[in-house]
Every structure is written in C-alpha cells, then in structure tokens.
Amino acid sequence: MAVLSQAEILSIAEHTDIAYKRAFSRMEARSWGLLFVNEENPMHYDANHAHVSRPVAGEAEAEAIVHETTAFFSQRGIVPRLYVYAPEDKQPLISVLERHGFQTESLPAPMQLWQGVLADVRPMEGIAIEPVTAANYDDCLIVESIPELGGRDVREKAFAMEFAHPDFAHYLLRVDGEPASSLCLLRAGEYMRVENVATLPAFRGRGLIGHLLRHAQERFLETGGARLLVFPINERVERVYRRYGFAAVGEVRTLHAYRGGKGIREIR
C-alpha cells in the first residue's frame, strides 16, 4: 500500500479539487486563496465558494477574508460559503466566521487509492456500460439528477459543462437497456479521480457500482497515470470502494462554513 505524508495527501486533494471545480465555475485568485463562482448555477456549492488552504496569519487577515467573501457572493445573490482546508491550523479564521454568523460543519474525507487489482465482480446478465455521448446524454443526466448529487437543478448545468470539458469522461451503466448507474472520471495531470458515482433508487443493492469501478480501473490502465483515487462521502461508501480494490491512505480535513441553506452533511 502506498504511504503518503499528510502534506502529499492535501496537495493531491487540492490539485484535483481545483481541476474538478474549474470545469463548471470561474476561478479568481486572491492573496489568501481562491474564489469559485458560477452565477448561472448559484445553488451548486462546489461552484460557488471561497477556497482557503494557505495559513491564516491572524484575526486581521481572517476578517479580511470573511469580509471579501461575504461581499463577493452577496453582491451576486449567492449564499456566502467557504471551504477551509486543514482547519486545525486556521483557528483565527474559524473564530471570525462564527462571530459573523456562519454555520460550520466538519467534513473529514478519507483519500482512497486503487491498489492495482481489478474489482472482483460477479457476472450479471443485462448489464452494459457505455461512454456518455450526445446520443445517451439525457439518460445519464436522469441518473446524475439524484438528490445526493444536488438534484436536477444543480446537476443539469454542471453536467453540461463537465460533458464539454476534455478532462472529464462519463460512463453510463444500463440494466436491460434502462439507465441505472453512472460514474465520471476526471483527469487532473498525472492523477485520475472518480467522481459523481450515482445509482437510481430502483437499481440499488445489486452491486452495479462494482462493475462501474472495474470499468474505471480498466480505463485508467489503458490511459496511464500515477494514481487512481476517490474521496468517499461517508463510511458506507468507503466500505463499497474498499470492497472493489481501493484502500484509505489518509484523510483530508475540510471545514464547510456557510451563511444560509443546508449543510453538505444534510444533503448527503
């Protein structure tokens, strides 16, 4: 199993996060971090937030970050929110956020790397996996519109931008011709990351994700790269990926701070 330092894990997470979000939002650099915004999709959290990963010097800088973030998004009619990486060394920022009425939630996420062994899946009749093209685009969107990914209103616009982006490849799994499950692969330099894994409720519990993950592993071997990785959204999903050849190598700790709406934990 690969052994990575916490700094390496955070670097890979940030590198692939930025590549992922730039596909469906505009990125603006600041001295303290990044702003991601997509005014046409204001309810998409990943497309509209401040990204803070650098050390915060003290309360004066923290106040400046919160003031600029709040003004930037409020002027656009978007709920101000921040993703704070490694929050344990940014206590001045957290204190200022709470003082200004931001709700906060901790979002620890294990990084799982594929260990090089193809997923062991049982044969199933009626299963077919196909790349998403203009011909089956609408069928894939049906699958990706599940509430766990934000619902149709959020995914429709983001999916269109991902589909048009050369670093994204979407795959649709059908059962007896019906759209059932989907998965996306993001190429971020030498890394490939599994994203937006979804299964319609009527098809859950059949092990379909295992077939999609094996397909993703095969695509990774064909195209090459340093690592195939995934960030599971909860322990149940982590166990699924572990069953199909992924192993946790560390954890990325993120704080989500927001001034309105639902928390990410509630949506998931």
Side-chain angles (χ1 to χ4, degrees), residues 5-198:
S5 68
Q6 187 60 35
E8 289 175 310
I9 291 169
L10 185 59
S11 175
I12 293 171
E14 185 173 23
H15 174 71
T16 57
D17 276 352
I18 291 171
Y20 174 63
K21 296 166 189 175
R22 290 187 73 173
F24 47 72
S25 61
R26 185 177 80 253
M27 185 182 80
E28 296 187 12
R30 296 292 187 270
S31 61
W32 45 262
L34 303 167
L35 288 167
F36 291 96
V37 62
N38 183 338
E39 293 167 85
E40 295 184 357
N41 200 3
M43 295 303 295
H44 190 186
Y45 293 6
D46 284 351
N48 295 283
H49 66 274
H51 170 113
V52 184
S53 61
R54 302 172 189 171
V56 177
E59 287 214 359
E61 184 181 22
E63 285 281 1
I65 293 171
V66 173
H67 175 77
E68 183 170 11
T69 298
T70 301
F72 181 87
F73 288 107
S74 296
Q75 289 167 5
R76 292 163 173 79
I78 299 172
V79 173
R81 70 182 69 252
L82 300 88
Y83 291 179
V84 182
Y85 290 70
E88 61 275 6
D89 64 6
K90 298 178 180 64
Q91 190 55 50
L93 177 59
I94 296 170
S95 297
V96 170
L97 285 166
E98 292 174 346
R99 192 158 64 236
H100 283 273
F102 280 78
Q103 300 179 70
T104 61
E105 58 180 347
S106 178
L107 300 172
M111 175 191 284
Q112 289 180 286
L113 298 181
W114 181 47
Q115 300 302 295
V117 178
L118 289 172
D120 183 14
V121 294
R122 61 184 178 87
M124 296 179 66
E125 292 186 4
I127 283 183
I129 298 175
E130 55 199 42
V132 176
T133 65
N136 58 8
Y137 179 97
D138 289 340
D139 284 345
C140 189
L141 180 58
I142 290 171
V143 179
E144 290 220 2
S145 296
I146 61 173
E148 294 90 334
L149 295 184
R152 178 92 179 202
D153 289 345
V154 169
R155 280 305 299 156
E156 185 168 20
K157 294 174 182 176
F159 181 62
M161 298 180 76
E162 293 169 11
F163 178 73
H165 198 284
D167 291 335
F168 281 77
H170 292 81
Y171 298 94
L172 175 67
L173 183 149
R174 295 183 185 273
V175 176
D176 296 327
E178 295 297 319
S181 191
S182 65
L183 171 150
C184 168
L185 285 175
L186 163 67
R187 170 69 69 178
E190 62 181 336
Y191 305 110
M192 188 174 283
R193 178 165 146 175
V194 177
E195 280 291 338
N196 298 331
V197 180

